[in-house]
Amino acid sequence: MTRERARVTLRVHDLHAHYGPSHVLQGVTLEVPAGGVASVLGRNGVGKTTTLRTVMGFVTPTSGAVTLGDRAITGWAPHEVARAGVGYVPEGRQVFPALTVEENLRVAERRPSTRWPRQRLLDLFPALRERRSHRGRELSGGEQQMLAIARALVTDPSVLLLDEPSQGLAPLVIRELARVIRALAAEGVTVLLVEQNLKLAETVADRLFIIVKGRVVYDATPARFREDGPEIRRRYLTV
């Protein structure tokens, strides 16, 4: 029988984090319901990526809490967070350029994936099926992004953290990315997405959060965000 991880809610409460003397996260609080998608927006340098890195354990929080369902994972090491069911797709994709698509996926497998075996991943990402013997450096930017997501999925995550996945991608590829994110949510994967592309964020998210200077200053549904539109963009998102 195929083993599936339970759907879980990701909660971040009053999270503080520092880089040396710099107080980057100053009380971030947000929640992503089980099987939901939340987008985190904000100008550059406000703490969006640091939020993901702190959840994943790459940054040790000064205070606050991160929980998966009823399980506290605050301050855990990255490998412990991964084993608890969190997948991470970093900004810049970071696929192994000298390895093939198949080899990139095998490297990420701690054990044979039950929820996302390679055949199912190739069904989800048909472009990778055609390129499975190609090396990472031979893939387009969009193909590398899909491979980075597939590589995270072979760990069978309950929660997926995506950092700027649309960066540098053509509109057609971004539409494919939106399809993939919606398909993952439909399968029960909880997704926390950091994104600059407002159209993508609105399209896939159930909830939108805006961070300013290390704090969540706005929290709304996409419908409410569209209503608030120009004023919110002017106040919090435009340079």
Side-chain angles (χ1 to χ4, degrees), residues 47-225:
K48 304 186 303 295
T49 291
T50 301
T51 298
L52 296 191
R53 289 177 57 81
T54 305
V55 170
M56 196 65 211
F58 292 114
V59 175
T60 302
T62 311
S63 62
V66 179
T67 58
L68 293 179
D70 58 1
R71 190 178 191 184
I73 62 167
T74 315
W76 285 19
H79 70 278
E80 295 173 322
V81 176
R83 287 174 182 167
V86 181
Y88 178 54
V89 181
E91 183 180 6
R93 298 141 199 169
Q94 298 182 23
V95 302
F96 295 106
L99 300 184
T100 67
V101 167
E102 286 274 6
E103 290 167 341
N104 266 275
L105 296 177
R106 285 204 300 269
V107 163
E109 282 184 308
R110 297 190 310 274
R111 57 182 177 270
S113 176
T114 56
R115 192 174 183 187
W116 297 101
R118 284 199 293 274
Q119 276 304 121
R120 190 176 187 210
L121 286 174
L122 295 176
D123 290 339
L124 181 63
F125 302 104
L128 294 183
R129 179 184 298 281
E130 300 172 6
R131 308 278 280 172
R132 60 197 303 174
S133 63
H134 288 68
R135 300 188 186 280
R137 61 171 168 260
E138 298 170 335
L139 304 179
S140 68
E143 290 165 345
Q144 288 184 2
Q145 186 62 68
M146 298 307 171
L147 177 56
I149 296 172
R151 186 179 57 186
L153 290 175
V154 297
T155 64
D156 288 335
S158 298
V159 173
L160 187 64
L161 310 178
L162 298 173
D163 194 358
E164 301 280 7
S166 75
Q167 189 176 67
L169 301 184
L172 184 62
V173 182
I174 293 174
R175 287 196 291 274
E176 174 66 6
L177 178 62
R179 179 195 68 81
V180 167
I181 293 172
R182 286 194 297 262
L184 294 176
E187 290 287 339
V189 179
T190 304
V191 180
L192 180 58
L193 165 73
V194 163
E195 188 50 71
Q196 294 281 14
N197 186 310
L198 295 183
K199 185 175 180 181
L200 174 62
E202 289 181 56
T203 298
V204 301
D206 308 303
R207 203 82 191 171
L208 294 155
F209 298 91
I210 296 177
I211 293 181
V212 174
K213 295 182 179 178
R215 289 179 178 271
V216 174
V217 298
Y218 181 83
D219 167 10
T221 63
R224 176 62 184 273
F225 179 73

